[in-house]
C-alpha cells in the first residue's frame, strides 16, 4: 500500500508535466508512424503535457477492436486508439491515480466530437491494474496495451497472468516498458525517484522473458529496443554500471505457440490490405513482409499470422505435419553489444 500511495503521489501531485521528471526514463524515444502523428495533432494539449510513456505501443490493424490500456495516465494512448479503432471499436483505460484519470475523463466529449463520433468509444476506470479481472471477463479483449507502467507493478506475475486470461485467443499484449541489463540490487529497489521514474522496479530483460513464458506468452517478439539515457549524473552514480532499455514487446495469446522457432516448412505471403502498411508489414523487429513476396517462416510466425487479426491479410502455405528441425535462419546468438537487442535473427527473444 505504501508503494501504491508513493506512485499516486508522484504522478498525481509531485510532477505536473514532463519537464518535472528527474530523468529521461519516462520519455518516448521511438518515432511515431505518420498515421499516429496525425492523430496526436487532434489530442488536447493538457493530455499530452502529462504523458509519461517510454515507447509507442500502437500496433497496426486496429479497426473495430476492443482494447484496454493498463496504467493509462491522462489517456493519451487511449485517445490515439480511440481514433484508430473507429466508431465500432472501444477503448478502456485503467489507472489508480485520481488526478490523471480526472484529466482523461474531462476530455471525453471534446475528443468524441473531434473524432466525429456520435457517442464516446472510450471509458476510464479509476482502480488498480491488479483488479482488471473484476472489469473484464476471460477471453474478452482483442488487445491490451501499456506504456511505461509494468515496471511499477509490484506483483508482476499475478498481473501478467490476469492479462493473459482476459485476452481473447489470438489477442495480444503490445506494450512498452523499461528493462535492466541485470537484476536490480536490493539496496536500490526502494529508492523513491529510481522507482517512481520507472527504473528500480524494472525487470532484468531475461527474467521478463522467463516470466512471460511462465504465464503462457510463449514467444515474446521485440518491436523496438532503445538504450535509455538517464541524464541525471547523481542517479547514474547510484546505478553504477546498470543499463536500462525501453523495449516494445508483442506477446501473443495463441494456442500451440512454442518457446522457440521450429521449422515446419511454412511460407507466408502478405496480400496487402492493412491500411497503415499497404506495401510492407512489420510483424516485429526482424520480420518484415513485402506485399506479394513469399517468405519462409517458423511455426510460431505462421501462427501469429494465421490465428490472429492478421489472418485475412496473409496467405500461409504449409501445416504442422512434418518437423524439419530448428528454424534454420533463427540463430541462437545473443548480441554481445549491450546497445542492441538480445533477440536472435528470427525476432524471438532468447
Ligand atoms: C509512467 S506513468 C505512464 C502513464 C501513461 N501510460 C502515459 O503514457 O502517460 C505510470 C502510470 O501508471 C499508473 N500506475 C502504476 N501502477 C499502477 C497500478 N498498480 N494500478 C493502476 N495504475 C498504476 C500511475 O498512476 C501512472 O499514471
Amino acid at each position: 500500500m505504501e508503494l501504491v500511495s508513493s506512485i499516486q503521489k508522484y504522478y498525481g501531485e509531485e510532477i505536473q508535466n514532463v519537464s518535472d521528471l528527474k530523468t529521461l526514463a519516462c520519455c518516448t524515444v521511438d518515432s511515431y508512424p505518420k498515421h499516429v502523428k496525425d492523430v496526436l495533432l487532434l489530442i488536447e494539449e493538457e493530455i499530452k503535457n502529462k504523458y509519461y510513456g517510454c515507447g509507442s505501443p500502437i500496433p497496426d490493424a486496429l479497426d473495430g477492436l476492443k482494447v484496454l490500456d493498463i496504467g493509462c495516465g491522462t489517456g493519451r494512448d487511449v485517445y490515439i486508439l480511440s481514433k484508430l479503432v473507429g466508431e465500432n471499436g472501444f477503448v478502456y483505460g485503467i489507472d489508480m491515480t485520481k488526478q490523471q484519470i480526472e484529466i482523461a475523463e474531462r476530455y471525453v466529449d471534446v475528443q468524441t466530437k473531434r473524432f466525429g463520433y456520435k457517442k464516446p468509444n472510450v471509458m476510464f476506470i479509476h482502480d488498480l491494474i491488479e483488479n482488471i479481472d473484476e472489469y473484464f471477463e476471460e477471453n474478452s479483449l482483442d488487445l491490451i496495451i501499456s506504456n511505461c507502467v509494468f515496471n511499477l507493478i509490484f506483483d508482476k506475475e499475478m498481473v501478467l497472468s490476469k492479462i493473459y486470461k482476459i485476452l481473447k485467443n489470438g489477442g495480444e499484449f503490445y506494450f512498452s516498458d523499461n528493462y535492466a541489463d541485470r537484476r536490480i540490487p536490493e539496496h536500490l529497489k526502494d529508492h523513491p525517484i529510481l522507482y517512481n521514474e520507472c527504473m528500480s522496479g524494472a525487470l532484468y530483460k531475461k527474467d521478463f522473458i522467463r516470466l512471460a513464458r511462465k504465464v503462457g506468452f510463449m514467444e515474446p517478439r521485440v518491436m523496438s529496443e532503445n538504450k535509455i539515457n538517464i541524464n541525471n549524473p547523481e542517479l547514474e552514480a547510484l546505478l553504477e554500471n546498470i543499463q536500462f532499455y525501453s523495449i516494445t514487446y508483442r506477446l501473443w495469446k495463441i494456442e500451440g505457440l512454442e518457446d522457440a522457432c521450429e521449422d515446419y516448412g511454412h511460407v507466408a505471403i502478405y496480400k496487402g490490405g492493412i491500411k497503415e502498411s499497404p506495401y510492407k508489414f512489420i510483424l516485429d523487429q526482424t520480420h518484415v513482409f513485402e506485399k506479394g513476396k513469399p517468405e519462409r517462416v517458423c511455426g510460431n510466425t505462421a501462427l501469429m499470422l494465421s490465428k490472429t487479426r492478421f489472418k485475412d491479410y496473409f496467405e500461409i502455405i504449409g501445416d504442422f505435419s512434418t518437423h524439419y528441425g530448428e528454424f534454420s535462419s533463427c540463430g541462437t546468438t545473443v548480441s554481445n553489444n549491450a546497445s542492441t537487442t538480445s533477440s536472435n535473427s528470427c525476432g524471438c527473444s532468447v
Side-chain angles (χ1 to χ4, degrees), residues 137-144 160-174 212 215-220 250-257 303-304 307-309:
E137 287 179 7
E138 265 184 49
N139 301 315
S140 63
L141 292 163
D142 298 296
L143 168 70
I144 299 178
L160 201 58
S161 49
K162 286 188 177 184
I163 287 171
Y164 188 86
K165 253 194 209 142
I166 62 177
L167 274 174
K168 289 180 187 167
N169 284 318
E172 67 170 324
F173 181 33
Y174 189 107
V215 308
F217 290 115
M218 294 313 286
E219 212 223 301
R250 129 173 283 166
L251 310 187
W252 292 106
K253 174 175 174 178
I254 306 173
E255 229 169 83
L257 272 191
L303 290 173
M304 290 173 196
K307 301 287 178 201
T308 66
R309 66 185 188 280

Side-chain angles (χ1 to χ4, degrees), residues 262-268 295-303 316-322 324 327:
E262 300 293 343
D263 190 353
Y264 296 91
H266 288 97
V267 169
E295 298 279 0
R296 287 258 296 113
V297 293
C298 68
N300 280 351
T301 299
L303 290 173
I316 304 294
I317 302 164
D319 57 32
F320 285 86
S321 56
T322 309
Y324 299 98
F327 190 75

Side-chain angles (χ1 to χ4, degrees), residues 7 11 26 50-53 69 71-74 77 94-97 100 127-130 147-149 152-153 198:
I7 299 171
Y11 288 99
C26 309
K50 290 176 188 284
Y51 160 73
Y52 309 120
D69 179 359
C72 63
T74 53
D77 292 336
I94 184 165
D95 201 290
M96 67 178 181
T97 303
Q100 296 280 86
D127 203 348
L128 291 167
I129 292 159
E130 284 77 352
N147 202 343
C148 219
V149 176
L152 294 168
I153 291 170
C198 303

Side-chain angles (χ1 to χ4, degrees), residues 31-32 64 156 210 295:
S31 57
Y32 301 111
K156 294 178 172 58
R210 292 182 179 111
E295 298 279 0

Side-chain angles (χ1 to χ4, degrees), residues 18 24-32 51-57 76-77 147-148 176 226 246:
V18 270
L24 296 181
C26 309
C27 296
T28 299
V29 277
D30 276 341
S31 57
Y32 301 111
Y51 160 73
Y52 309 120
C54 55
S56 176
R76 194 198 74 147
D77 292 336
N147 202 343
C148 219
S176 307
N226 296 292
S246 161

